[in-house]
Amino acid sequence: MLFIDLLQSIADGLLFGATYSLIGIGFTLVFGVMHKINMAYAAASVAGAYAGLTLLKLAGLPPLLVIIMACLAGAVFGLLTYVLCFWLIPLSHPLATLMSTVGMLLLIDEIVVHLTAGMPVNYPTVMGGMVSLGSFLLRGDLMFIFTIAVLAMAALMYLIYRTRLGLATRAVSQQPVAAQLCGMRLGQVNALTFTISGALGGIAGSLIGSAVGLLSPLLIAPLTVKGLIVTVIGGLGSIPGAIIAGLLVGAAENVFQFVRGVTERDIYVMLLLFVFLVFRPGGILGADPGRN
Amino acid sequence: MDFYLGLLQIIGVHTLLGLSAYVVLLTGQVSLAQAGFMAIGAYVSAMLTVLAKWALVPALLTGGAAAAAVACLVGFPALRVRGLMLVVATLAFGEAVRLFFFNFDYQIAMGGIKVGPLGGEGFRQIRYFPENGWTTFQVMVFIWLTVGVVMTALWWMDRSRVGAVLRAVGEDEVAAQSAGLNLTAVKVSAMTLGGFIAGVAGGLYAHYTTHIEQGNFNVLVATFAIAYPILGGLSNVFGTLAAVVFIQGFLIEGLRFLGDWRNLLFGALIVLAMNVRPGGLLDAQTMSKGLSALRRLLDPAYGSAAARQAIDGLKDAGAMFRRLIAKWKGAFGA
């Protein structure tokens, strides 16, 4: 029975880990093109999920569309983060953008707390029920989350590897100066990357909301930490790495929870990061270790 | 009065915390683990004074040393990676320390009640100051004496060869390495020193609040620790102090009359400050400008004209202000 329970928790973790993958991709995309960390990303994602819910209620649409609404709102928040925290600050001050995004994180967090009076908000569960496979039970909502996350990742991959915009993004991430010489507008590509990552964040936020059943500002801090861990374990700037690492962290988290309980779970996730830092500092699919 | 003494205590402890991040930032490393080191110092020194009945100063120093030892241990794996990876590694470490104390129970029965850290409930009854009859004023003076010692030591270090070495690594690692500096040794030393200062800050914090829990050392505190030196600028230790006074004194206490909106303004002001002054509030340029202006004012040959002008300007402003008040009083019929 123990073995089955263990497998069950791995399966649940893998399914939920898809949302970590999405958050990790968001961090890694921005890091790829700008070589900067956007600390406000997870906060903007959660805010996108909130705004999506509000839009849904205002327009009176069916609950399924909450994901699309959150995606749109997340894109707006992503662009806003770029304009407020990166646009005017010269690239020669790496600490300044780190600090401005931290300020943005606090600002978004406080706006959410302010508007919801600090109370958790119920989030529509898009799909319930269980699917039983022999002695396994797969949660319907988790399966749904996983499917949507995979679809979003596929769309992103198409965008990055099959369109002109993706070509520009990849060019800028490889060699900003050369890309600029070839006639690409750095500012435009950066702004678009932020918008895309924000849209992914909105999707991730709404998926997490519907899996947990509610949204709370308390989600922001752990999500920021987990997203950054996923980004580093996957290798900074690597999208496939972030996907694998997200699933890995999701599964590992659930196994640790199963073995050691919920209060100690996150300690072991952090230790997992240190194991990677010691033995594979470049991450699973990182380019070169220690690149700044 | 006690309110202002309390505020001074908070500013003192946060200055130490900011200085601990300042040392690490000098080498170009952004460490979000300072809150974790602070937690280690707080728990260790509080356990020493409460459970082992040590005197305060040795307990503080031991707490600092424990935090320094952990910082040194963390330094080695974490400093294999640079820049943004280090941010994440130290962030994760700080959270791991916090979660460790969330699960940490060590209670001893003393005089009928159990004392000691108890997981999520935290560590109550750190009553060294009340038991030994210290007044709030004395505690405040003690904290600021510590701040003074640390600031003087760092100021002196900054102007010595050690400071030059730290800054060299921070400015350009490759150049520093080719000048024969051992990068790992420099970075790990800076991390250790930062850990020690943060540990002492934690010890002071634990003793003046008398109750600590893991939530006191969360990511927000770690962010504050690096926010002070970055906002203040890395040109010298006074930038950090200025930023602490600005954030704790003005943004947090001074804007309390705004109620809920204060917290909103807080994040917005940080974003704004970084947009307007990406090099920090007191960056090297501003410091040198300010110093030369001061020198000019003090220089009798050059300064007298400028000073006279400035004083005349002040007088004009004063007269205008007085006229304005007179008008205002007239309007209200006073």
Side-chain angles (χ1 to χ4, degrees):
Chain A
M1 244 20 241
L2 187 75
F3 181 65
I4 299 263
D5 284 348
L6 189 66
L7 273 185
Q8 176 80 57
S9 61
I10 291 179
D12 283 353
L14 276 177
L15 293 180
F16 190 73
T19 58
Y20 291 154
S21 297
L22 283 182
I23 298 281
I25 290 173
F27 276 112
T28 233
L29 262 182
V30 168
F31 182 84
V33 292
M34 291 193 77
H35 284 217
K36 295 271 154 57
I37 271 189
N38 172 13
M39 295 290 279
Y41 180 62
S45 306
V46 174
Y50 270 106
L53 187 63
T54 316
L55 283 176
L56 188 84
K57 279 183 183 159
L58 282 180
L61 294 169
L64 195 63
L65 290 177
V66 75
I67 294 166
I68 293 166
M69 290 294 160
C71 172
L72 293 177
V76 173
F77 286 133
L79 187 62
L80 213 61
T81 311
Y82 174 69
V83 171
L84 291 177
C85 301
F86 290 87
W87 188 39
L88 289 174
I89 296 175
L91 287 175
S92 53
H93 290 284
L95 292 180
T97 49
L98 182 73
M99 208 58 239
S100 66
T101 51
V102 167
M104 192 73 186
L105 166 72
L106 299 177
L107 180 62
I108 294 175
D109 191 53
E110 279 306 326
I111 291 177
V112 169
V113 170
H114 201 84
L115 292 180
T116 60
M119 302 294 286
V121 176
N122 286 327
Y123 215 76
T125 311
V126 184
M127 206 178 126
M130 296 270 189
V131 181
S132 57
L133 287 172
S135 45
F136 279 116
L137 282 175
L138 287 178
R139 277 173 59 188
D141 53 346
L142 287 183
M143 302 256 283
F144 176 76
I145 284 177
F146 189 75
T147 317
I148 297 286
V150 168
L151 285 179
M153 286 176 217
L156 177 81
M157 289 297 206
Y158 176 78
L159 199 67
I160 298 280
Y161 293 103
R162 289 283 182 275
T163 61
R164 281 178 69 82
L165 168 66
L167 193 65
T169 312
R170 280 181 292 143
V172 169
S173 76
Q174 281 167 7
Q175 255 302 331
V177 180
Q180 209 168 12
L181 288 175
C182 292
M184 288 164 211
R185 294 183 188 168
L186 274 191
Q188 217 172 43
V189 172
N190 288 343
L192 269 169
T193 311
F194 267 87
T195 315
I196 294 167
S197 75
L200 276 183
I203 296 176
S206 64
L207 290 181
I208 292 170
S210 64
V212 182
L214 42 82
L215 270 186
S216 149
L218 292 176
L219 281 173
I220 291 176
L223 210 53
T224 307
V225 178
K226 295 262 168 65
L228 286 171
I229 288 177
V230 165
T231 313
V232 169
I233 289 183
L236 280 172
S238 159
I239 296 173
I243 296 174
I244 299 172
L247 299 178
L248 176 71
V249 167
E253 181 183 271
N254 254 24
V255 171
F256 293 140
Q257 179 171 346
F258 176 69
V259 179
R260 300 289 308 173
V262 71
T263 54
E264 290 184 23
R265 176 186 81 184
D266 288 352
I267 299 182
Y268 296 100
V269 177
M270 316 289 174
L271 286 180
L272 184 69
L273 171 76
F274 270 83
V275 170
F276 268 91
L277 283 181
V278 171
F279 294 108
R280 205 169 161 78
I284 298 174
L285 294 176
D288 47 327
R291 188 178 65 162
N292 200 335
Chain B
M1 193 59 205
D2 269 1
F3 168 75
Y4 291 102
L5 290 177
L7 181 60
L8 279 174
Q9 290 175 344
I10 295 173
I11 292 181
V13 167
H14 277 252
T15 307
L16 284 177
L17 185 64
L19 289 175
S20 80
Y22 169 83
V23 179
V24 185
L25 272 168
L26 279 186
T27 62
Q29 315 292 312
V30 179
S31 159
L32 281 175
Q34 301 313 110
F37 301 144
M38 191 180 172
I40 294 171
Y43 273 90
V44 169
S45 61
M47 282 168 74
L48 286 176
T49 58
V50 174
L51 304 179
K53 297 286 171 208
W54 281 32
L56 182 63
V57 175
L60 283 180
L61 290 177
T62 314
V70 175
C72 185
L73 281 178
V74 171
F76 280 104
L79 294 173
R80 284 173 57 137
V81 293
R82 269 189 286 161
L84 300 173
M85 306 265 279
L86 184 72
V87 177
V88 179
T90 50
L91 177 67
F93 173 76
E95 278 293 278
V97 170
R98 187 177 69 73
L99 290 167
F100 170 77
F101 285 116
F102 185 61
N103 292 291
F104 180 61
D105 295 337
Y106 185 82
Q107 289 211 306
I108 295 179
M110 260 184 184
I113 48 165
K114 282 190 152 186
V115 290
L118 180 65
E121 298 235 330
F123 188 174
R124 292 167 199 280
Q125 287 113 15
I126 309 170
R127 302 177 53 80
Y128 182 87
F129 285 137
E131 272 169 9
N132 290 281
W134 291 51
T135 63
T136 318
F137 179 73
Q138 284 168 327
V139 175
M140 188 276 287
V141 170
F142 180 72
I143 289 176
W144 277 92
L145 277 178
T146 319
V147 174
V149 169
V150 171
M151 273 182 92
T152 318
L154 288 183
W155 172 259
W156 170 78
M157 185 205 79
D158 238 356
R159 309 186 70 101
S160 72
R161 197 186 136 73
V162 181
V165 166
L166 292 182
R167 280 177 195 280
V169 172
E171 291 286 328
D172 192 334
E173 286 191 5
V174 179
Q177 197 166 25
S178 43
L181 294 176
N182 181 347
L183 289 187
T184 313
V186 172
K187 286 186 196 167
V188 173
S189 322
M191 199 82 172
T192 311
L193 182 58
F196 180 77
I197 299 173
V200 172
L204 286 171
Y205 175 75
H207 285 90
Y208 89 75
T209 55
T210 71
H211 169 215
I212 49 175
E213 55 180 35
Q214 41 90 24
N216 299 135
F217 308 101
N218 57 11
V219 185
L220 191 66
V221 178
T223 322
F224 271 132
I226 60 158
Y228 298 134
I230 294 177
L231 266 178
L234 288 175
S235 56
N236 63 52
V237 287
F238 296 108
T240 305
L241 180 63
V244 175
V245 173
F246 175 68
I247 290 184
Q248 291 292 335
F250 175 65
L251 286 188
I252 292 191
E253 289 303 327
L255 298 180
R256 217 173 257 288
F257 68 92
L258 289 175
D260 280 357
W261 295 99
R262 177 190 59 159
N263 292 334
L264 288 178
L265 203 61
F266 179 67
L269 276 174
I270 291 182
V271 174
L272 184 72
M274 288 339 285
N275 270 296
V276 180
R277 299 200 61 82
L281 297 176
L282 282 180
D283 58 2
Q285 236 179 345
T286 320
M287 278 303 281
S288 69
K289 257 188 213 162
L291 280 180
S292 63
L294 197 70
R295 214 168 288 135
R296 254 180 283 148
L297 263 179
L298 296 178
D299 181 14
Y302 183 90
S304 53
R308 216 176 297 128
Q309 235 172 4
I311 291 167
D312 283 351
L314 277 181
K315 274 182 186 161
D316 282 355
M320 209 175 80
F321 193 58
R322 269 196 298 278
R323 272 202 301 278
L324 207 70
I325 288 179
K327 219 186 217 172
W328 199 45
K329 275 183 179 165
F332 284 94

